[in-house]
Amino acid sequence: MSKGPNRGHLSLRWVYCPEAHASGQTVELDAAHAKHLTGVLRLEQGAAIAVANGAGAAFHALLRVRGKAVSVELGEAVPVPPRMQPGFRVALGLPKNTAADFAVEKLAELGATAFEPFVTSRSVVRPGRGDEEKYVNRWRGIAAEALEQSQQAWVLNVTAPRSFTEIISTIKTSKAACFLFASESRNGSTLGQGASLMAEAVAQGKELFLVLGPEGGFSTEERKDLVAAGCRELSMGPAVLRVETAVVVAATLACLAMEQAERQT
């Protein structure tokens, strides 16, 4: 994981705007951002903010207000560190809505590249046909807010919920190193061993693909299928963790693995 330049913590308001691409550009903000910046935060014409496009670039910017129309005039670039490499994605068996929302927020803050939900036999939430867009839009909104709060230049990619069979196919065809975190594996490897195993994969240039279950975990058959597809089981210790806690632990291990691999190069 490259550390890159250290820009410190900016005191400026951080705004996500995917249309921001270059210094000197003027971009009109959407209605929600315009209302929040001028109506809630009471920012006025000429106020200084920072704008990130979610694709690795951020800029100093000045607010331009004309009636209800609010735009930003992009200035010089804000130095941002490169994204963690080779990165990590998280596939989560759909838990209840609040747990999924929490997972998206924390994964975005911790620098995951993607959140890939899927339905298991024990999933509490099962989006009906045609409802997937509603969930994806909600999670993408949470990811955007997390980018702003954590002052990052990269936005978490959120995919539509998939079936268990589709996740199995993804694992079988993926070049990533796949790791399964199941409550049944809690007496296996230690957290340190898990981080070391992931660091070995990172040192080989492999992206990390972390798979976690919903409340109640995976069924016996699902767990066997995941291992057979290519997942390596890792433990999170002797305790049974809530979904929200497990997601943060797994993501933190991935971050540590990338740091550990970098120190060894």
Side-chain angles (χ1 to χ4, degrees):
M1 180 179 67
S2 283
K3 296 178 181 177
N6 181 11
R7 61 179 169 81
H9 179 82
L10 294 181
S11 59
L12 301 176
R13 177 70 187 186
W14 204 259
V15 176
Y16 172 55
C17 180
E19 296 79 19
H21 300 298
S23 298
Q25 181 185 6
T26 298
V27 183
E28 186 169 346
L29 297 179
D30 58 52
H33 274 112
K35 181 178 180 181
H36 184 71
L37 292 174
T38 60
V40 179
L41 299 180
R42 303 292 183 182
L43 298 184
E44 299 179 345
Q45 171 79 4
I49 62 173
V51 174
N53 65 6
F59 305 87
H60 290 281
L62 297 178
L63 206 63
R64 300 304 184 199
V65 182
R66 292 184 179 180
K68 292 185 178 180
V70 179
S71 59
V72 289
E73 182 180 315
L74 305 184
E76 65 179 13
V78 175
V80 295
R83 200 170 204 179
M84 289 187 295
Q85 295 297 331
F88 70 98
R89 297 148 49 203
V90 175
L92 177 63
L94 273 173
K96 59 186 178 183
N97 286 334
T98 54
D101 292 352
F102 182 93
V104 170
E105 179 182 76
K106 300 313 170 190
L107 289 174
E109 292 175 3
L110 288 167
T113 57
F115 170 70
E116 304 181 26
F118 63 100
V119 178
T120 75
S121 62
R122 296 175 179 173
S123 288
V124 175
V125 174
R126 295 172 178 270
R129 186 178 298 275
D131 289 339
E132 294 90 347
E133 185 176 0
K134 176 183 68 175
Y135 284 92
V136 171
N137 288 340
R138 174 180 176 81
W139 291 328
R140 286 178 178 168
I142 293 172
E145 291 175 0
L147 173 149
E148 294 175 341
Q149 187 280 325
S150 57
Q151 297 191 353
Q152 296 193 59
W154 302 91
V155 71
L156 175 73
N157 179 41
V158 176
T159 66
R162 289 180 285 173
S163 68
F164 181 78
T165 300
E166 288 173 315
I167 283 293
I168 290 293
S169 296
T170 296
I171 295 169
K172 287 181 176 179
T173 59
S174 177
K175 294 182 180 179
C178 302
F179 294 96
L180 167 64
F181 293 91
S183 58
E184 297 84 357
S185 308
R186 60 184 180 274
N187 292 320
S189 61
T190 65
L191 291 175
Q193 290 171 331
S196 295
L197 289 171
M198 286 194 281
E200 290 177 8
V202 170
Q204 298 170 11
K206 293 183 179 180
E207 180 187 37
L208 303 179
F209 189 58
L210 315 181
V211 182
L212 298 93
E215 295 92 346
F218 294 108
S219 69
T220 300
E221 287 304 312
E222 286 172 338
R223 184 183 171 200
K224 289 180 179 178
D225 288 344
L226 286 165
V227 173
C231 282
R232 182 163 186 170
E233 288 189 274
L234 294 181
S235 173
M236 291 188 179
V240 177
L241 305 181
R242 294 174 63 92
V243 172
E244 298 93 327
T245 308
V247 166
V248 172
V249 171
T252 302
L253 286 177
C255 293
L256 289 172
M258 282 181 274
E259 290 185 356
Q260 182 176 330
E262 183 184 42
R263 288 196 300 269
Q264 294 174 351
T265 58

